[in-house]
Amino acid sequence: MESYWFGARRFDEFCRQTGLLKTVVSDRLKRLIRNDCLVKVAYSEKPRRFEYKGTEQFLDLFPMALAMLHWERKWSQKPNALEVKLTHTPCRAATEPLPVCKSCRAEISPRDVSWKVGPGVGQMEATYSRRRRQTAESGSNTKLLDEVIRIVGDRWATLILRSLFSGINQFQEILEDTGMATNILSDRLSELCQERVLYTVDVPGDSRRIEYKLTEKGIGIYPILLTLLEWGDKWRPAPEGPPLLLTHNLCGKPLKIEMACSACNKEILVTDTSFELKISNSRGDNNGKSGSA
Ligand SMILES: [Zn+2]
Ligand SMILES: [Zn+2]
């Protein structure tokens, strides 16, 4: 998906940009087609050749991509070989995408959001896969959304974060809230602590027990989960209604997130951005690439 935002449309472009094996790229493209996110269209008849086009629901994931980019830039501790300069074409300024409330346009912090359970709330069914977790080691080092994908791309880590954002902080409670297996939960909790997304404190009055808390870096993941929640409510709605009802306390309105331009505070649309990519390799020279999604 990241490659798509940076202009990849053809199979060999996805392979080159991701550095992944052809079989992996082919499998993931098929999966995106099955989920109505991409369509395969012929761009040449003789010989017959295809490219991939994002559907409306795929393009609706653009705010999530921007929220991820914002987090990665702010919090990733790893040096990244890839740098991107985004320009908001309507105001022509170099822009940093910021998560704001659609109603009052203030930057969103989870501290200003209250929530209640909606009609469509349900517990996610626990399914287990023996497949080893995909890590970022595979492929090249030219991935922009490296650290954030390792966290948000992991179903269990995301469920743990959901619990923490709803004020659930102790091991046993998180276990009940997520329906995870004990070993997977302790595994993910220690990984999230290592990543400095979480930290632990002693439970007051009970020194044998600890609580998990979100660091500032962890709190920074909130807008990404909001974009996912809104996308899910729109494209994969539960028949009963939304699972979660959020209110922005600063304006009192139902919370809707928008990724806004740091220069002009208007929404950054997929059609309104251009980018410049810089890859610095070990010798320190640069390969430029630019375009628009
Ligand atoms: Zn607001
Ligand atoms: Zn702007």
Side-chain angles (χ1 to χ4, degrees):
M1 289 166 84
E2 182 185 314
S3 300
Y4 188 94
W5 303 123
F6 292 129
R9 295 295 180 270
R10 296 176 188 176
F11 186 76
D12 54 329
E13 293 170 340
F14 287 111
C15 294
R16 199 170 55 240
Q17 287 194 27
T18 59
L20 294 168
L21 291 172
K22 283 184 175 177
T23 49
V24 176
V25 174
S26 156
D27 176 73
R28 296 308 190 275
L29 287 170
K30 279 184 192 141
R31 199 187 287 182
L32 285 165
I33 290 173
R34 264 202 316 277
N35 286 290
D36 300 319
C37 285
L38 290 180
V39 286
K40 211 171 161 182
V41 288
Y43 68 87
S44 128
E45 285 307 325
K46 269 185 192 165
R48 200 159 163 78
R49 290 189 198 283
F50 294 93
E51 62 182 11
Y52 297 85
K53 282 263 159 70
T55 60
E56 196 189 337
Q57 54 179 289
F58 181 89
L59 298 178
D60 250 4
L61 287 165
F62 190 61
M64 181 191 72
L66 290 177
M68 285 180 161
L69 178 66
H70 175 62
W71 186 89
E72 189 82 24
R73 281 177 165 178
K74 193 162 173 185
W75 296 108
S76 174
Q77 286 149 344
K78 309 213 167 51
N80 202 317
L82 202 59
E83 259 181 77
V84 63
K85 199 182 130 198
L86 276 184
T87 303
H88 191 217
T89 37
C91 73
R92 297 202 196 124
T95 186
E96 179 61 39
L98 298 175
V100 303
C101 163
K102 238 183 172 68
S103 297
C104 68
R105 313 208 64 75
E107 194 167 335
I108 293 172
S109 152
R111 296 179 183 96
D112 303 324
V113 178
S114 55
W115 59 274
K116 58 178 196 235
V117 162
V121 74
Q123 203 171 44
M124 203 179 210
E125 212 175 294
T127 51
Y128 296 94
S129 150
R130 297 217 162 263
R131 182 171 57 90
R132 205 168 61 88
R133 196 145 66 105
Q134 302 259 323
T135 57
E137 278 101 68
S138 54
S140 62
N141 63 344
T142 52
K143 279 186 227 72
L144 203 57
L145 306 175
D146 193 18
E147 193 171 337
V148 69
I149 288 289
R150 268 186 297 129
I151 300 169
V152 185
D154 179 61
R155 159 197 190 93
W156 301 123
T158 309
L159 276 177
I160 293 170
L161 291 173
R162 188 191 69 172
S163 299
L164 281 149
F165 280 117
S166 25
I168 294 169
N169 299 90
Q170 291 186 24
F171 189 89
Q172 198 56 36
E173 299 166 338
I174 302 172
L175 195 66
E176 283 159 25
D177 186 53
T178 58
M180 288 165 70
T182 317
N183 59 331
I184 299 181
L185 178 59
S186 30
D187 202 50
R188 292 301 193 274
L189 284 170
S190 60
E191 278 178 30
L192 289 168
C193 288
Q194 267 167 35
E195 304 262 13
R196 296 176 202 275
V197 167
L198 304 182
Y199 66 101
T200 56
V201 290
D202 290 335
V203 173
D206 186 351
S207 58
R208 288 164 310 159
R209 288 204 295 174
I210 53 167
E211 270 187 358
Y212 293 87
K213 300 264 188 196
L214 292 151
T215 59
E216 285 300 312
K217 181 181 178 183
I219 289 170
I221 295 175
Y222 189 72
I224 303 172
L225 298 184
L226 273 185
T227 57
L228 274 170
L229 183 73
E230 279 190 26
W231 188 90
D233 284 350
K234 182 170 174 188
W235 292 105
R236 302 287 186 275
E240 307 81 26
L244 207 54
L245 303 168
L246 304 172
T247 305
H248 195 219
N249 298 335
L250 298 184
C251 64
K253 301 266 169 57
L255 181 65
K256 291 274 172 214
I257 187 174
E258 189 174 292
M259 294 307 294
C261 167
S262 54
C264 70
N265 200 26
K266 299 241 168 65
E267 183 172 15
I268 303 179
L269 302 169
V270 63
T271 45
D272 285 348
T273 44
S274 64
F275 64 87
E276 223 176 285
L277 272 184
K278 253 206 235 165
I279 303 164
S280 37
N281 61 25
S282 49
R283 292 193 309 276
D285 27 297
N286 292 325
N287 278 311
K289 180 177 192 289
S290 59
S292 59

